[in-house]
Amino acid sequence: MLRFLILFSLFIHSCVAAPKAPAAGAALPAKKWLTLNGQEPAVVAKGGFSGLFPESSAPANDLAVSTSSPGLTMLCNLQMTKDGVGICLSDIRLDNATTISTLFPKAQKTYKVNGQDLKGWFALDYSADTIFSNVSLVQNIYSRPSIFDGQMPISAVEDVLGTKPPKFWLSVQYDAFYMEHKLSAAAYLRSLRLRGITFISSPEIGFLKSIGRDAVMSKTKLIFEFKDPEAIEPTTNKKYSELQQNLAAIKAFASGVLVPKGYIWPVDSTKYLKPATTLVADAHKAGLEVYASGFANDMPASFNYSYDPSAEYLQFVDNGQFSVDGVITDFPPTASQAITCFSHQKGNLPRAGHALVITHNGASGDYPGCTDLAYQKAVDDGADVIDCSVQMSKDGIAFCHDSADLTTSTTAMTTFMSRATSVPEIQPTNGVFSFDLTWAEIQSLKPQIQSPFLTKAGLARNPANKNAGKFMTLDDFLKFSKEKAVTGVLVNIQNAAYLASKKGLGIVDAVKSALTKSTLDKQSTQKVLIQSDDSSVLAGFEAVPPYTRVLTIDKEIGDAPKPSVDEIKKHADAVNLLRSSLVTISDSFAAGKTNVVEEMHKGNISVYVSVLRNEYISIAFDYFSDPTIEFATFIAGSGVDGVITEFPATATRYLRSPCSDLNKDQPYAILPAEAGSLISVADKEAQPPASAPNPPLDTKDVIDPPLPPVANMASHNATGATPNAPGRSGSVATTANLCLSLLAILALGLLFATE
């Protein structure tokens, strides 16, 4: 335990900083809140930082205070032992969050709780000494870290109060049940004299009324908690939906209400928001504060939030119509940054830092990639640079699309299944390729939003618009970028050698022609970034000084030796690197940080990192399942020059927040994670084995053979000969999956048609 506390202390000091009061001359402008009292909404940490550590463990409580804004409220769910000691635990059953079932495997019991039979291990069957001496905590949500399981003792209420959190909230869920078994939560609270307790909540009216006088004496706020609308409140035997109709009666014994967030912003069966209810306005009119519960970064609530947890908090505190008075959350730092840093962020605020926000297929997290809607959303979201990965149609039209294979991002598999072919130079599996279809045929297809985590985790993207939008030619894309006056464009060139030698298509010439036509080659107002994984492609643009040439390095690297950097400098001004080349990941933990950015910067090469996504499953635990912390880690922590993302709104919100500027003296700052610190908190035996380091970048990964001339396909068709296309640098040799049957293709097509 001593080792654990020492390591945890190191973790706290290495990756977070305690909030501090701003200097007199650096005070932030006051915000006008639509809460009951006009004060900033409270952040209530449910069991501390329970999104990371087991609920109400000492580390969970300590990290919550250290990473959240000043004035944090710590919430403890009260359970009672056989001898009347109060403990903080998420559920009335111990087996949901502790090791009790392994210690006493035959001690399971069944009790009737609020009219329902519950089976498990209950705190009231064990003395406090038995629990504190033998039982330890585990994470009760399986998508969260499990390496801390069995290492932390259960906390008594007095333990949490002893740490003197800024504010303390005690949730009493089951007083009626405990009273049936001769245990009294009210008597226990009186033994504490309610000292240090700021809030007490309960879904039982009788309990709140029983401690009303004590609460007045100690200046503790009583909060009535609403359960499911159809559930029965045990004192009145009325449904909670009935009690909601008479908020004035609640005001007689409580100063506020706690409701599941669906009471305020309901979500329909398709996971889109319905119009807000009038609950907050009605409660405020009755003089009641409103607290909303159920917030967690790793439990997506609605497609309206684009998997950005900060967006959900803002919906409740900064919607222009009302604000709740507080939020109950498993991830208090995210709630803190949303309220303190992102709220009331109106207009085109100045940016902190120089990092560019570059799109990946436009705002492809919200609309099908490379469509007019994805690009318009990116512009609306404040992206600096919008991108076009250029593909070629059979009849030589250059257009924007993520890949030459159209199967995953269009309806090509169902429409042109018979045209599926094998192209091992591009990918190991069969596909329907753009260069085998005319532009007219491509335009007959529907775009299809790509949801990279749909199969693995069931995380779909904006299904209401999964086939929305229109494809754009490169000419139209460049025209659009000029009309919208974006800071810049990134033109990504793929498969140039193959297209020239095997298909007679000059993609480099097509790009040059389009840029000349748009006059972007004769100006310096808008940035033009030319990107490719082929250094010979970039060499073709060397004669146009205004262009920034970007070399894609699509393999993981752990080091950038000077000879390799010097070789890059001959061909490019910037590199596009994978996230894992900057921060190495082991079992969803950020295990270490490389020096690649520093090494590239020494060679005067800019670094862009890709691809950043909002879905929590793609984000390391060290980033708190919060895409904003990942942006902060790469921008403020690693010092990259640009982030390539499918959700530009999240990136621009962070960069426009004063909290992203770590040089300012302010009450709260969004800090980067320190790779390796979190995983070191766990016992050595629980940590995942160390993985081999990524290899260094080799000069052979940079140098490519010259591009072949564009083949005369008329001559090729007459002779039947095909020139060999050179391979790409750093690419792994692949072979075609020739055994893919027509039945498998049909099944794949049906899969994409239904997703």
mmCIF file of all heavy atoms in Angstrom, residues 46 50-55 89-91 93-98 137-146 149 299 330:
data_model
loop_
_atom_site.group_PDB
_atom_site.id
_atom_site.type_symbol
_atom_site.label_atom_id
_atom_site.label_comp_id
_atom_site.label_asym_id
_atom_site.label_seq_id
_atom_site.Cartn_x
_atom_site.Cartn_y
_atom_site.Cartn_z
ATOM 1 N N LYS A 46 -18.889 11.688 -8.980
ATOM 2 C CA LYS A 46 -19.554 10.505 -8.438
ATOM 3 C C LYS A 46 -18.511 9.458 -8.055
ATOM 4 O O LYS A 46 -17.894 8.827 -8.891
ATOM 5 C CB LYS A 46 -20.502 9.920 -9.480
ATOM 6 C CG LYS A 46 -21.248 8.687 -9.040
ATOM 7 C CD LYS A 46 -21.998 8.078 -10.201
ATOM 8 C CE LYS A 46 -22.161 6.588 -9.966
ATOM 9 N NZ LYS A 46 -22.458 5.895 -11.221
ATOM 10 N N SER A 50 -14.361 8.076 -10.847
ATOM 11 C CA SER A 50 -14.746 6.671 -10.983
ATOM 12 C C SER A 50 -14.710 6.186 -12.425
ATOM 13 O O SER A 50 -14.851 4.987 -12.675
ATOM 14 C CB SER A 50 -16.151 6.451 -10.406
ATOM 15 O OG SER A 50 -17.082 7.362 -10.975
ATOM 16 N N GLY A 51 -14.500 7.094 -13.375
ATOM 17 C CA GLY A 51 -14.329 6.667 -14.755
ATOM 18 C C GLY A 51 -12.974 6.039 -14.991
ATOM 19 O O GLY A 51 -12.747 5.417 -16.033
ATOM 20 N N LEU A 52 -12.078 6.176 -14.008
ATOM 21 C CA LEU A 52 -10.720 5.652 -14.160
ATOM 22 C C LEU A 52 -10.377 4.640 -13.070
ATOM 23 O O LEU A 52 -9.937 3.533 -13.352
ATOM 24 C CB LEU A 52 -9.731 6.818 -14.124
ATOM 25 C CG LEU A 52 -8.316 6.582 -14.650
ATOM 26 C CD1 LEU A 52 -8.346 6.088 -16.088
ATOM 27 C CD2 LEU A 52 -7.516 7.881 -14.563
ATOM 28 N N PHE A 53 -10.597 5.028 -11.812
ATOM 29 C CA PHE A 53 -10.306 4.151 -10.681
ATOM 30 C C PHE A 53 -11.610 3.609 -10.094
ATOM 31 O O PHE A 53 -12.685 4.178 -10.326
ATOM 32 C CB PHE A 53 -9.555 4.927 -9.595
ATOM 33 C CG PHE A 53 -8.155 5.330 -9.983
ATOM 34 C CD1 PHE A 53 -7.866 6.642 -10.308
ATOM 35 C CD2 PHE A 53 -7.138 4.394 -10.015
ATOM 36 C CE1 PHE A 53 -6.582 7.023 -10.662
ATOM 37 C CE2 PHE A 53 -5.844 4.761 -10.362
ATOM 38 C CZ PHE A 53 -5.567 6.076 -10.692
ATOM 39 N N PRO A 54 -11.541 2.524 -9.311
ATOM 40 C CA PRO A 54 -12.748 2.045 -8.641
ATOM 41 C C PRO A 54 -13.427 3.150 -7.834
ATOM 42 O O PRO A 54 -12.768 3.971 -7.199
ATOM 43 C CB PRO A 54 -12.218 0.924 -7.732
ATOM 44 C CG PRO A 54 -11.012 0.406 -8.457
ATOM 45 C CD PRO A 54 -10.386 1.634 -9.075
ATOM 46 N N GLU A 55 -14.728 3.149 -7.863
ATOM 47 C CA GLU A 55 -15.509 4.242 -7.269
ATOM 48 C C GLU A 55 -15.216 4.414 -5.783
ATOM 49 O O GLU A 55 -15.166 3.452 -5.022
ATOM 50 C CB GLU A 55 -17.005 3.975 -7.473
ATOM 51 C CG GLU A 55 -17.899 5.091 -6.964
ATOM 52 C CD GLU A 55 -19.348 4.919 -7.380
ATOM 53 O OE1 GLU A 55 -19.602 4.422 -8.491
ATOM 54 O OE2 GLU A 55 -20.220 5.298 -6.581
ATOM 55 N N LEU A 89 -19.806 3.190 -1.456
ATOM 56 C CA LEU A 89 -19.813 2.118 -2.446
ATOM 57 C C LEU A 89 -20.942 2.363 -3.425
ATOM 58 O O LEU A 89 -22.018 2.843 -3.051
ATOM 59 C CB LEU A 89 -19.977 0.763 -1.753
ATOM 60 C CG LEU A 89 -19.356 -0.440 -2.431
ATOM 61 C CD1 LEU A 89 -17.849 -0.276 -2.600
ATOM 62 C CD2 LEU A 89 -19.651 -1.708 -1.632
ATOM 63 N N SER A 90 -20.721 2.001 -4.678
ATOM 64 C CA SER A 90 -21.658 2.378 -5.737
ATOM 65 C C SER A 90 -23.012 1.710 -5.608
ATOM 66 O O SER A 90 -24.033 2.286 -5.994
ATOM 67 C CB SER A 90 -21.050 2.038 -7.110
ATOM 68 O OG SER A 90 -20.730 0.658 -7.187
ATOM 69 N N ASP A 91 -23.053 0.482 -5.048
ATOM 70 C CA ASP A 91 -24.304 -0.274 -5.069
ATOM 71 C C ASP A 91 -24.540 -0.921 -3.714
ATOM 72 O O ASP A 91 -23.598 -1.146 -2.940
ATOM 73 C CB ASP A 91 -24.242 -1.346 -6.167
ATOM 74 C CG ASP A 91 -25.587 -2.000 -6.420
ATOM 75 O OD1 ASP A 91 -26.427 -1.365 -7.070
ATOM 76 O OD2 ASP A 91 -25.796 -3.148 -5.974
ATOM 77 N N ARG A 93 -25.218 -3.866 -3.274
ATOM 78 C CA ARG A 93 -24.570 -5.180 -3.309
ATOM 79 C C ARG A 93 -23.058 -5.005 -3.459
ATOM 80 O O ARG A 93 -22.593 -4.319 -4.358
ATOM 81 C CB ARG A 93 -25.127 -6.020 -4.454
ATOM 82 C CG ARG A 93 -26.565 -6.455 -4.236
ATOM 83 C CD ARG A 93 -27.174 -7.011 -5.503
ATOM 84 N NE ARG A 93 -27.370 -5.963 -6.495
ATOM 85 C CZ ARG A 93 -28.010 -6.138 -7.655
ATOM 86 N NH1 ARG A 93 -28.488 -7.320 -7.958
ATOM 87 N NH2 ARG A 93 -28.144 -5.135 -8.492
ATOM 88 N N LEU A 94 -22.321 -5.678 -2.611
ATOM 89 C CA LEU A 94 -20.875 -5.550 -2.626
ATOM 90 C C LEU A 94 -20.241 -6.195 -3.857
ATOM 91 O O LEU A 94 -19.177 -5.771 -4.310
ATOM 92 C CB LEU A 94 -20.280 -6.210 -1.372
ATOM 93 C CG LEU A 94 -20.586 -5.560 -0.018
ATOM 94 C CD1 LEU A 94 -20.086 -6.440 1.110
ATOM 95 C CD2 LEU A 94 -19.952 -4.185 0.073
ATOM 96 N N ASP A 95 -20.868 -7.238 -4.397
ATOM 97 C CA ASP A 95 -20.230 -8.001 -5.460
ATOM 98 C C ASP A 95 -20.098 -7.225 -6.761
ATOM 99 O O ASP A 95 -19.309 -7.608 -7.628
ATOM 100 C CB ASP A 95 -20.974 -9.314 -5.723
ATOM 101 C CG ASP A 95 -22.483 -9.145 -5.806
ATOM 102 O OD1 ASP A 95 -23.063 -8.625 -4.845
ATOM 103 O OD2 ASP A 95 -23.070 -9.534 -6.831
ATOM 104 N N ASN A 96 -20.816 -6.136 -6.918
ATOM 105 C CA ASN A 96 -20.715 -5.350 -8.145
ATOM 106 C C ASN A 96 -19.414 -4.552 -8.223
ATOM 107 O O ASN A 96 -19.006 -4.154 -9.312
ATOM 108 C CB ASN A 96 -21.897 -4.377 -8.259
ATOM 109 C CG ASN A 96 -23.157 -5.091 -8.678
ATOM 110 O OD1 ASN A 96 -23.111 -6.226 -9.151
ATOM 111 N ND2 ASN A 96 -24.297 -4.441 -8.493
ATOM 112 N N ALA A 97 -18.783 -4.303 -7.088
ATOM 113 C CA ALA A 97 -17.625 -3.405 -7.113
ATOM 114 C C ALA A 97 -16.509 -3.820 -6.163
ATOM 115 O O ALA A 97 -15.606 -3.033 -5.895
ATOM 116 C CB ALA A 97 -18.074 -1.984 -6.776
ATOM 117 N N THR A 98 -16.551 -5.047 -5.638
ATOM 118 C CA THR A 98 -15.508 -5.487 -4.708
ATOM 119 C C THR A 98 -15.143 -6.947 -4.978
ATOM 120 O O THR A 98 -15.737 -7.623 -5.818
ATOM 121 C CB THR A 98 -15.968 -5.374 -3.239
ATOM 122 O OG1 THR A 98 -16.877 -6.450 -2.939
ATOM 123 C CG2 THR A 98 -16.647 -4.040 -2.960
ATOM 124 N N LEU A 137 -11.517 -3.119 -3.604
ATOM 125 C CA LEU A 137 -12.375 -2.611 -4.669
ATOM 126 C C LEU A 137 -11.957 -3.131 -6.043
ATOM 127 O O LEU A 137 -10.794 -3.440 -6.280
ATOM 128 C CB LEU A 137 -12.326 -1.074 -4.689
ATOM 129 C CG LEU A 137 -12.917 -0.361 -3.476
ATOM 130 C CD1 LEU A 137 -12.488 1.104 -3.462
ATOM 131 C CD2 LEU A 137 -14.444 -0.464 -3.493
ATOM 132 N N VAL A 138 -12.941 -3.202 -6.942
ATOM 133 C CA VAL A 138 -12.681 -3.483 -8.357
ATOM 134 C C VAL A 138 -13.500 -2.502 -9.190
ATOM 135 O O VAL A 138 -14.488 -1.930 -8.726
ATOM 136 C CB VAL A 138 -13.053 -4.937 -8.746
ATOM 137 C CG1 VAL A 138 -12.245 -5.936 -7.940
ATOM 138 C CG2 VAL A 138 -14.553 -5.187 -8.581
ATOM 139 N N GLN A 139 -13.070 -2.328 -10.413
ATOM 140 C CA GLN A 139 -13.813 -1.471 -11.345
ATOM 141 C C GLN A 139 -15.070 -2.219 -11.783
ATOM 142 O O GLN A 139 -15.001 -3.374 -12.198
ATOM 143 C CB GLN A 139 -12.942 -1.139 -12.558
ATOM 144 C CG GLN A 139 -13.608 -0.289 -13.617
ATOM 145 C CD GLN A 139 -14.122 1.046 -13.105
ATOM 146 O OE1 GLN A 139 -15.330 1.183 -12.854
ATOM 147 N NE2 GLN A 139 -13.230 2.001 -12.940
ATOM 148 N N ASN A 140 -16.221 -1.580 -11.661
ATOM 149 C CA ASN A 140 -17.469 -2.291 -11.936
ATOM 150 C C ASN A 140 -18.013 -2.047 -13.340
ATOM 151 O O ASN A 140 -19.108 -2.502 -13.671
ATOM 152 C CB ASN A 140 -18.537 -1.929 -10.896
ATOM 153 C CG ASN A 140 -18.917 -0.458 -10.924
ATOM 154 O OD1 ASN A 140 -18.231 0.353 -11.527
ATOM 155 N ND2 ASN A 140 -20.004 -0.123 -10.255
ATOM 156 N N ILE A 141 -17.251 -1.340 -14.179
ATOM 157 C CA ILE A 141 -17.648 -1.165 -15.579
ATOM 158 C C ILE A 141 -16.521 -1.728 -16.429
ATOM 159 O O ILE A 141 -15.375 -1.276 -16.358
ATOM 160 C CB ILE A 141 -17.921 0.317 -15.898
ATOM 161 C CG1 ILE A 141 -19.136 0.786 -15.090
ATOM 162 C CG2 ILE A 141 -18.156 0.519 -17.394
ATOM 163 C CD1 ILE A 141 -19.473 2.243 -15.275
ATOM 164 N N TYR A 142 -16.835 -2.742 -17.223
ATOM 165 C CA TYR A 142 -15.803 -3.566 -17.844
ATOM 166 C C TYR A 142 -15.002 -2.851 -18.923
ATOM 167 O O TYR A 142 -13.906 -3.283 -19.264
ATOM 168 C CB TYR A 142 -16.442 -4.834 -18.413
ATOM 169 C CG TYR A 142 -17.042 -5.724 -17.353
ATOM 170 C CD1 TYR A 142 -18.381 -6.109 -17.394
ATOM 171 C CD2 TYR A 142 -16.265 -6.166 -16.282
ATOM 172 C CE1 TYR A 142 -18.926 -6.915 -16.405
ATOM 173 C CE2 TYR A 142 -16.804 -6.962 -15.283
ATOM 174 C CZ TYR A 142 -18.133 -7.340 -15.353
ATOM 175 O OH TYR A 142 -18.664 -8.124 -14.365
ATOM 176 N N SER A 143 -15.515 -1.762 -19.471
ATOM 177 C CA SER A 143 -14.758 -1.042 -20.492
ATOM 178 C C SER A 143 -13.695 -0.133 -19.883
ATOM 179 O O SER A 143 -12.922 0.491 -20.605
ATOM 180 C CB SER A 143 -15.708 -0.201 -21.363
ATOM 181 O OG SER A 143 -16.393 0.758 -20.570
ATOM 182 N N ARG A 144 -13.630 -0.074 -18.565
ATOM 183 C CA ARG A 144 -12.683 0.796 -17.863
ATOM 184 C C ARG A 144 -11.486 -0.008 -17.363
ATOM 185 O O ARG A 144 -11.520 -1.236 -17.353
ATOM 186 C CB ARG A 144 -13.406 1.515 -16.715
ATOM 187 C CG ARG A 144 -14.489 2.460 -17.219
ATOM 188 C CD ARG A 144 -15.280 3.107 -16.107
ATOM 189 N NE ARG A 144 -16.310 3.999 -16.668
ATOM 190 C CZ ARG A 144 -17.233 4.637 -15.955
ATOM 191 N NH1 ARG A 144 -17.246 4.501 -14.634
ATOM 192 N NH2 ARG A 144 -18.111 5.413 -16.545
ATOM 193 N N PRO A 145 -10.414 0.650 -16.933
ATOM 194 C CA PRO A 145 -9.202 -0.082 -16.542
ATOM 195 C C PRO A 145 -9.465 -1.085 -15.426
ATOM 196 O O PRO A 145 -10.114 -0.769 -14.430
ATOM 197 C CB PRO A 145 -8.259 1.030 -16.067
ATOM 198 C CG PRO A 145 -8.761 2.273 -16.704
ATOM 199 C CD PRO A 145 -10.238 2.119 -16.827
ATOM 200 N N SER A 146 -8.933 -2.270 -15.598
ATOM 201 C CA SER A 146 -9.078 -3.312 -14.578
ATOM 202 C C SER A 146 -7.768 -3.579 -13.843
ATOM 203 O O SER A 146 -7.745 -4.387 -12.905
ATOM 204 C CB SER A 146 -9.579 -4.605 -15.213
ATOM 205 O OG SER A 146 -8.665 -5.079 -16.186
ATOM 206 N N ASP A 149 -7.699 -3.325 -10.009
ATOM 207 C CA ASP A 149 -8.598 -4.161 -9.221
ATOM 208 C C ASP A 149 -7.844 -4.879 -8.104
ATOM 209 O O ASP A 149 -6.717 -5.352 -8.288
ATOM 210 C CB ASP A 149 -9.281 -5.207 -10.109
ATOM 211 C CG ASP A 149 -10.318 -4.597 -11.037
ATOM 212 O OD1 ASP A 149 -10.527 -3.371 -10.966
ATOM 213 O OD2 ASP A 149 -10.916 -5.350 -11.832
ATOM 214 N N MET A 299 -19.866 6.420 -22.126
ATOM 215 C CA MET A 299 -21.241 5.959 -22.330
ATOM 216 C C MET A 299 -21.963 6.962 -23.221
ATOM 217 O O MET A 299 -22.689 7.841 -22.745
ATOM 218 C CB MET A 299 -21.970 5.810 -20.988
ATOM 219 C CG MET A 299 -21.374 4.749 -20.095
ATOM 220 S SD MET A 299 -22.251 4.598 -18.521
ATOM 221 C CE MET A 299 -21.203 3.402 -17.671
ATOM 222 N N ASP A 330 -18.865 10.746 -13.802
ATOM 223 C CA ASP A 330 -17.775 9.826 -13.507
ATOM 224 C C ASP A 330 -16.428 10.392 -13.954
ATOM 225 O O ASP A 330 -15.374 9.837 -13.615
ATOM 226 C CB ASP A 330 -17.991 8.488 -14.229
ATOM 227 C CG ASP A 330 -19.210 7.724 -13.728
ATOM 228 O OD1 ASP A 330 -19.920 8.247 -12.855
ATOM 229 O OD2 ASP A 330 -19.456 6.606 -14.228
#
